[in-house]
Amino acid sequence: MTTTPLDFAMRARALDEADPLRGYPSRFLGSDDPEIVAYLDGNSLGRPTRATAERLTAFVAEAWGGRLIRGWDEQWFDLPVTIGDRIGAAVLGAAAGQTTIGDSTTVLLYKLARGALALRPGRTEIVLDRDNFPTDRYLLEAIAGELDLTLRWIEPEFTGGVTAQDVADVVCERTALVVLSHVAYRSGYLLDAAAISAVTHDAGAMLLLDLCHSAGAVEIELDSWAVDFAVGCTYKYLNGGPGAPAFGYVRAEHLADFTQPIWGWMGRESPFEMAQGYVPATGIRRIISGTPAIIGMLPIQDTLDLIEEVGMAAVRSKSVALTEFALELARSSLVPLGVRVSSPTDPARRGGHVTIDHPRFKEITARLWQRGVIPDFRPPQGIRIGLSPLSTTFAEVLAGVSAIRDELTTD
């Protein structure tokens, strides 16, 4: 029996009506913009919440404009750790004192990787994969060059990602560090972090996870998985805004001996003493270097408010439902037109986005943007359908996939 467009429209309407999170999309700016038919890029840049617009306005007028420099004594100094603890509890499965907000993802990844390698002296290899995000690969290539280390590359399946067996096949007594993305940026593959952590530790190495495409979309349990280090951005599913500062996690057992390479005054013990010589702060504050980006941290709090209201289990459930619907639509209306699904079909191995491939997608993406349907393009010929659970509706998914179908059938 063929499913008609009307059938899918009725399905989308029913799914939205039954959605436990149906009231949340309206809490984001742009949700009622008639020019945006479907925003399918929340895995690159999340929408701002309405509360964030109010928070930023109030901050400029009252905190920054009213309290001025006194704000450092009253709140700002502790904000990186305060928000870090909230992210740890609500999103990362991490106890307090292990997470902080700081620099860009790239800078934090550098700090954590260098600090981790220092904890495994004498070991000479870093394990990573060819399908990881470019920054991760470039950065580790640079570190390997600096320290005269060897990179051991994993070659994952195009539509999949790194498995525990893949890691087991390359780690050995020479491995110092394994660096992987929890959700693959292109395929959306969700790796088995607990199993990979066990394999890594059996070899005496340490695990550093990039959580950029998983934080706020899938459930994470860093503490129970025994992950050593993690880093992630906040401008995707956490809606922190363009260039919002990233978060870094260091497992409690490593903090006392952990030394990161970019020493700055805000990461020093008693920084306002302006004393001679660097003495790292106790605990997670030692990850901080210079003055933190306070304004950039503010929007994150509003998304954390929402996640704390509903819990990550509900967020994950909505994420799975959205991607399942996107895959159903793709199989019905796009695959017959030559589109290839390049994401895992098993929801247990899939993050919050779905990637589809077609030779015409680069040109089609530009046209989709012109008609108010906004996914993103990933080379060589992929469209990522990024579905942010708190702000995306099933109707948007249908509208977006329908627009892709229309463009494919247009000469």
Side-chain angles (χ1 to χ4, degrees):
M1 181 177 177
T2 302
T3 305
T4 68
L6 178 59
D7 293 330
F8 279 126
M10 294 174 63
R11 279 280 313 288
R13 188 179 305 114
L15 287 167
D16 278 325
E17 289 175 353
D19 176 17
L21 304 183
R22 62 186 175 276
Y24 284 84
S26 64
R27 296 169 75 166
F28 290 82
L29 286 173
S31 58
D32 53 0
D33 184 346
E35 295 187 3
I36 305 298
V37 176
Y39 187 58
L40 307 178
D41 212 359
N43 62 323
S44 281
L45 178 66
R47 289 181 181 272
T49 66
R50 297 183 186 278
T52 287
E54 297 173 1
R55 183 190 292 272
L56 290 176
T57 298
F59 179 84
V60 171
E62 300 166 13
W64 180 9
R67 303 309 298 161
L68 296 171
I69 195 67
R70 293 173 292 180
W72 284 109
D73 294 331
E74 295 166 355
Q75 182 186 20
W76 302 342
F77 179 75
D78 290 325
L79 202 58
V81 175
T82 300
I83 299 178
D85 282 346
R86 287 188 67 190
I87 292 176
V91 178
L92 306 182
Q98 300 174 104
T99 310
T100 188
I101 301 289
D103 315 280
S104 69
T105 305
T106 303
V107 173
L108 271 176
L109 184 63
Y110 179 77
K111 290 180 177 182
L112 296 184
R114 286 294 304 269
L117 290 166
L119 294 176
R120 288 294 182 269
R123 293 188 170 229
T124 58
E125 296 183 359
I126 302 171
V127 170
L128 66 163
D129 69 287
R130 297 279 185 193
D131 200 37
N132 209 338
F133 191 74
T135 279
D136 299 54
R137 290 183 274 115
Y138 303 158
L139 189 69
L140 291 166
E141 287 172 344
I143 290 174
E146 290 175 355
L147 303 180
D148 194 26
L149 302 177
T150 300
L151 298 177
R152 294 297 178 200
W153 294 94
I154 295 172
E155 307 274 356
E157 293 290 331
F158 182 73
T159 60
V162 178
T163 67
Q165 187 59 54
D166 291 333
V167 177
D169 289 342
V170 294
V171 293
C172 64
E173 71 281 356
R174 297 183 300 277
T175 308
L177 183 64
V178 176
V179 182
L180 302 169
S181 283
H182 187 215
V183 170
Y185 86 98
R186 192 183 190 284
S187 73
Y189 179 86
L190 173 62
L191 58 76
D192 187 340
I196 289 175
S197 177
V199 169
T200 300
H201 293 149
D202 284 346
M206 310 184 88
L207 176 63
L208 195 169
L209 286 183
D210 182 332
L211 304 177
C212 285
H213 282 87
S214 53
V218 304
E219 293 176 278
I220 300 169
E221 296 293 340
L222 293 181
D223 285 355
S224 64
W225 295 340
V227 172
D228 299 292
F229 308 97
V231 63
C233 65
T234 61
Y235 47 78
K236 301 183 191 301
Y237 300 108
L238 298 182
N239 309 98
F247 61 84
Y249 164 93
V250 177
R251 191 167 180 81
E253 66 191 69
H254 301 313
L255 278 169
D257 298 320
F258 185 83
T259 302
Q260 56 97 351
I262 305 177
W263 295 356
W265 77 298
M266 277 287 191
R268 189 193 188 280
E269 192 70 29
S270 303
F272 291 100
E273 290 181 357
M274 310 295 181
Q276 183 67 31
Y278 180 79
V279 179
T282 301
I284 195 66
R285 285 202 67 92
R286 64 181 53 202
I287 306 303
I288 300 172
S289 297
T291 304
I294 298 301
I295 293 178
M297 298 180 193
L298 301 179
I300 304 166
Q301 298 174 88
D302 299 307
T303 296
L304 289 173
D305 287 343
L306 303 185
I307 293 174
E308 288 165 353
E309 285 179 17
V310 303
M312 274 305 303
V315 172
R316 174 58 175 163
S317 179
K318 171 75 175 288
S319 177
V320 169
L322 287 167
T323 55
E324 286 286 285
F325 189 49
L327 285 172
E328 181 183 355
L329 292 169
R331 285 190 289 262
S332 175
S333 59
L334 302 182
V335 170
L337 300 175
V339 170
R340 175 189 183 188
V341 173
S342 299
S343 290
T345 57
D346 178 2
R349 295 275 68 86
R350 186 177 65 243
H353 67 269
V354 170
T355 299
I356 52 179
D357 281 286
H358 190 277
R360 294 180 57 198
F361 273 171
K362 186 173 185 179
E363 62 177 88
I364 283 175
T365 301
R367 294 207 301 270
L368 289 170
W369 280 38
Q370 291 175 353
R371 59 189 290 177
V373 173
I374 307 175
D376 65 10
F377 176 78
R378 284 294 177 263
Q381 54 184 26
I383 280 179
R384 289 193 314 181
I385 302 173
L387 305 171
S388 189
L390 289 170
S391 60
T392 305
T393 66
F394 292 92
E396 278 185 280
V397 180
L398 175 59
V401 174
S402 298
I404 295 170
R405 178 202 62 212
D406 292 347
E407 291 294 340
L408 282 170
T409 56
T410 301
D411 292 331

PDB file of all heavy atoms in Angstrom, residues 231-248:
ATOM      1  N   VAL A 231      35.073  17.006  25.675  1.00  0.00           N
ATOM      2  CA  VAL A 231      34.942  18.399  25.279  1.00  0.00           C
ATOM      3  C   VAL A 231      33.732  18.502  24.360  1.00  0.00           C
ATOM      4  O   VAL A 231      33.366  17.531  23.681  1.00  0.00           O
ATOM      5  CB  VAL A 231      36.222  18.880  24.554  1.00  0.00           C
ATOM      6  CG1 VAL A 231      36.451  18.108  23.260  1.00  0.00           C
ATOM      7  CG2 VAL A 231      36.179  20.373  24.273  1.00  0.00           C
ATOM      8  N   GLY A 232      33.081  19.635  24.351  1.00  0.00           N
ATOM      9  CA  GLY A 232      31.936  19.800  23.456  1.00  0.00           C
ATOM     10  C   GLY A 232      31.534  21.249  23.326  1.00  0.00           C
ATOM     11  O   GLY A 232      31.788  22.064  24.224  1.00  0.00           O
ATOM     12  N   CYS A 233      30.907  21.573  22.209  1.00  0.00           N
ATOM     13  CA  CYS A 233      30.458  22.951  21.995  1.00  0.00           C
ATOM     14  C   CYS A 233      29.063  23.133  22.594  1.00  0.00           C
ATOM     15  O   CYS A 233      28.379  22.170  22.934  1.00  0.00           O
ATOM     16  CB  CYS A 233      30.466  23.297  20.509  1.00  0.00           C
ATOM     17  SG  CYS A 233      29.294  22.364  19.528  1.00  0.00           S
ATOM     18  N   THR A 234      28.638  24.387  22.696  1.00  0.00           N
ATOM     19  CA  THR A 234      27.344  24.702  23.305  1.00  0.00           C
ATOM     20  C   THR A 234      26.412  25.427  22.353  1.00  0.00           C
ATOM     21  O   THR A 234      25.323  25.830  22.759  1.00  0.00           O
ATOM     22  CB  THR A 234      27.545  25.577  24.557  1.00  0.00           C
ATOM     23  OG1 THR A 234      28.172  26.810  24.172  1.00  0.00           O
ATOM     24  CG2 THR A 234      28.406  24.883  25.593  1.00  0.00           C
ATOM     25  N   TYR A 235      26.812  25.607  21.099  1.00  0.00           N
ATOM     26  CA  TYR A 235      25.969  26.382  20.177  1.00  0.00           C
ATOM     27  C   TYR A 235      25.099  25.515  19.290  1.00  0.00           C
ATOM     28  O   TYR A 235      24.354  26.036  18.463  1.00  0.00           O
ATOM     29  CB  TYR A 235      26.820  27.317  19.315  1.00  0.00           C
ATOM     30  CG  TYR A 235      28.047  26.713  18.685  1.00  0.00           C
ATOM     31  CD1 TYR A 235      27.966  25.916  17.559  1.00  0.00           C
ATOM     32  CD2 TYR A 235      29.305  26.961  19.231  1.00  0.00           C
ATOM     33  CE1 TYR A 235      29.094  25.360  16.995  1.00  0.00           C
ATOM     34  CE2 TYR A 235      30.448  26.412  18.668  1.00  0.00           C
ATOM     35  CZ  TYR A 235      30.335  25.621  17.547  1.00  0.00           C
ATOM     36  OH  TYR A 235      31.456  25.062  16.979  1.00  0.00           O
ATOM     37  N   LYS A 236      25.142  24.202  19.473  1.00  0.00           N
ATOM     38  CA  LYS A 236      24.280  23.299  18.712  1.00  0.00           C
ATOM     39  C   LYS A 236      23.017  23.037  19.529  1.00  0.00           C
ATOM     40  O   LYS A 236      22.139  23.882  19.622  1.00  0.00           O
ATOM     41  CB  LYS A 236      25.035  22.020  18.368  1.00  0.00           C
ATOM     42  CG  LYS A 236      26.317  22.252  17.552  1.00  0.00           C
ATOM     43  CD  LYS A 236      26.969  20.942  17.186  1.00  0.00           C
ATOM     44  CE  LYS A 236      28.363  21.117  16.607  1.00  0.00           C
ATOM     45  NZ  LYS A 236      28.423  21.951  15.400  1.00  0.00           N
ATOM     46  N   TYR A 237      22.921  21.858  20.122  1.00  0.00           N
ATOM     47  CA  TYR A 237      21.716  21.485  20.857  1.00  0.00           C
ATOM     48  C   TYR A 237      21.553  22.249  22.176  1.00  0.00           C
ATOM     49  O   TYR A 237      20.476  22.215  22.769  1.00  0.00           O
ATOM     50  CB  TYR A 237      21.719  19.986  21.132  1.00  0.00           C
ATOM     51  CG  TYR A 237      21.746  19.140  19.892  1.00  0.00           C
ATOM     52  CD1 TYR A 237      22.893  18.430  19.528  1.00  0.00           C
ATOM     53  CD2 TYR A 237      20.624  19.031  19.076  1.00  0.00           C
ATOM     54  CE1 TYR A 237      22.913  17.626  18.393  1.00  0.00           C
ATOM     55  CE2 TYR A 237      20.642  18.234  17.929  1.00  0.00           C
ATOM     56  CZ  TYR A 237      21.791  17.539  17.599  1.00  0.00           C
ATOM     57  OH  TYR A 237      21.811  16.754  16.467  1.00  0.00           O
ATOM     58  N   LEU A 238      22.595  22.924  22.644  1.00  0.00           N
ATOM     59  CA  LEU A 238      22.494  23.706  23.879  1.00  0.00           C
ATOM     60  C   LEU A 238      22.202  25.175  23.607  1.00  0.00           C
ATOM     61  O   LEU A 238      22.093  25.969  24.545  1.00  0.00           O
ATOM     62  CB  LEU A 238      23.768  23.555  24.717  1.00  0.00           C
ATOM     63  CG  LEU A 238      24.060  22.126  25.196  1.00  0.00           C
ATOM     64  CD1 LEU A 238      25.319  22.093  26.054  1.00  0.00           C
ATOM     65  CD2 LEU A 238      22.882  21.540  25.969  1.00  0.00           C
ATOM     66  N   ASN A 239      22.101  25.567  22.321  1.00  0.00           N
ATOM     67  CA  ASN A 239      21.564  26.869  21.927  1.00  0.00           C
ATOM     68  C   ASN A 239      22.296  28.057  22.537  1.00  0.00           C
ATOM     69  O   ASN A 239      21.680  29.059  22.900  1.00  0.00           O
ATOM     70  CB  ASN A 239      20.071  26.946  22.292  1.00  0.00           C
ATOM     71  CG  ASN A 239      19.286  25.748  21.781  1.00  0.00           C
ATOM     72  OD1 ASN A 239      19.038  24.812  22.534  1.00  0.00           O
ATOM     73  ND2 ASN A 239      18.929  25.745  20.518  1.00  0.00           N
ATOM     74  N   GLY A 240      23.623  27.940  22.627  1.00  0.00           N
ATOM     75  CA  GLY A 240      24.398  29.010  23.236  1.00  0.00           C
ATOM     76  C   GLY A 240      24.666  30.191  22.325  1.00  0.00           C
ATOM     77  O   GLY A 240      25.107  31.237  22.791  1.00  0.00           O
ATOM     78  N   GLY A 241      24.436  30.042  21.028  1.00  0.00           N
ATOM     79  CA  GLY A 241      24.666  31.134  20.085  1.00  0.00           C
ATOM     80  C   GLY A 241      25.984  30.990  19.360  1.00  0.00           C
ATOM     81  O   GLY A 241      26.862  30.213  19.776  1.00  0.00           O
ATOM     82  N   PRO A 242      26.162  31.724  18.258  1.00  0.00           N
ATOM     83  CA  PRO A 242      27.374  31.598  17.432  1.00  0.00           C
ATOM     84  C   PRO A 242      28.647  31.810  18.248  1.00  0.00           C
ATOM     85  O   PRO A 242      28.800  32.842  18.914  1.00  0.00           O
ATOM     86  CB  PRO A 242      27.204  32.708  16.379  1.00  0.00           C
ATOM     87  CG  PRO A 242      25.741  32.986  16.350  1.00  0.00           C
ATOM     88  CD  PRO A 242      25.232  32.747  17.740  1.00  0.00           C
ATOM     89  N   GLY A 243      29.532  30.831  18.211  1.00  0.00           N
ATOM     90  CA  GLY A 243      30.802  30.970  18.914  1.00  0.00           C
ATOM     91  C   GLY A 243      30.718  30.894  20.416  1.00  0.00           C
ATOM     92  O   GLY A 243      31.673  31.265  21.121  1.00  0.00           O
ATOM     93  N   ALA A 244      29.606  30.409  20.960  1.00  0.00           N
ATOM     94  CA  ALA A 244      29.493  30.277  22.419  1.00  0.00           C
ATOM     95  C   ALA A 244      30.614  29.385  22.950  1.00  0.00           C
ATOM     96  O   ALA A 244      31.042  28.446  22.283  1.00  0.00           O
ATOM     97  CB  ALA A 244      28.136  29.678  22.785  1.00  0.00           C
ATOM     98  N   PRO A 245      31.114  29.660  24.138  1.00  0.00           N
ATOM     99  CA  PRO A 245      32.251  28.889  24.658  1.00  0.00           C
ATOM    100  C   PRO A 245      31.916  27.422  24.877  1.00  0.00           C
ATOM    101  O   PRO A 245      30.774  27.056  25.171  1.00  0.00           O
ATOM    102  CB  PRO A 245      32.581  29.587  25.987  1.00  0.00           C
ATOM    103  CG  PRO A 245      31.330  30.301  26.365  1.00  0.00           C
ATOM    104  CD  PRO A 245      30.676  30.699  25.084  1.00  0.00           C
ATOM    105  N   ALA A 246      32.928  26.589  24.712  1.00  0.00           N
ATOM    106  CA  ALA A 246      32.772  25.139  24.851  1.00  0.00           C
ATOM    107  C   ALA A 246      32.887  24.725  26.316  1.00  0.00           C
ATOM    108  O   ALA A 246      33.231  25.520  27.188  1.00  0.00           O
ATOM    109  CB  ALA A 246      33.839  24.435  24.013  1.00  0.00           C
ATOM    110  N   PHE A 247      32.597  23.454  26.565  1.00  0.00           N
ATOM    111  CA  PHE A 247      32.784  22.900  27.907  1.00  0.00           C
ATOM    112  C   PHE A 247      33.870  21.827  27.861  1.00  0.00           C
ATOM    113  O   PHE A 247      34.093  21.173  26.836  1.00  0.00           O
ATOM    114  CB  PHE A 247      31.483  22.312  28.471  1.00  0.00           C
ATOM    115  CG  PHE A 247      30.907  21.174  27.669  1.00  0.00           C
ATOM    116  CD1 PHE A 247      31.362  19.872  27.842  1.00  0.00           C
ATOM    117  CD2 PHE A 247      29.898  21.393  26.750  1.00  0.00           C
ATOM    118  CE1 PHE A 247      30.838  18.824  27.106  1.00  0.00           C
ATOM    119  CE2 PHE A 247      29.358  20.362  26.001  1.00  0.00           C
ATOM    120  CZ  PHE A 247      29.826  19.065  26.175  1.00  0.00           C
ATOM    121  N   GLY A 248      34.549  21.673  28.990  1.00  0.00           N
ATOM    122  CA  GLY A 248      35.553  20.636  29.129  1.00  0.00           C
ATOM    123  C   GLY A 248      35.302  19.834  30.386  1.00  0.00           C
ATOM    124  O   GLY A 248      34.910  20.389  31.420  1.00  0.00           O
TER     125      GLY A 248
END
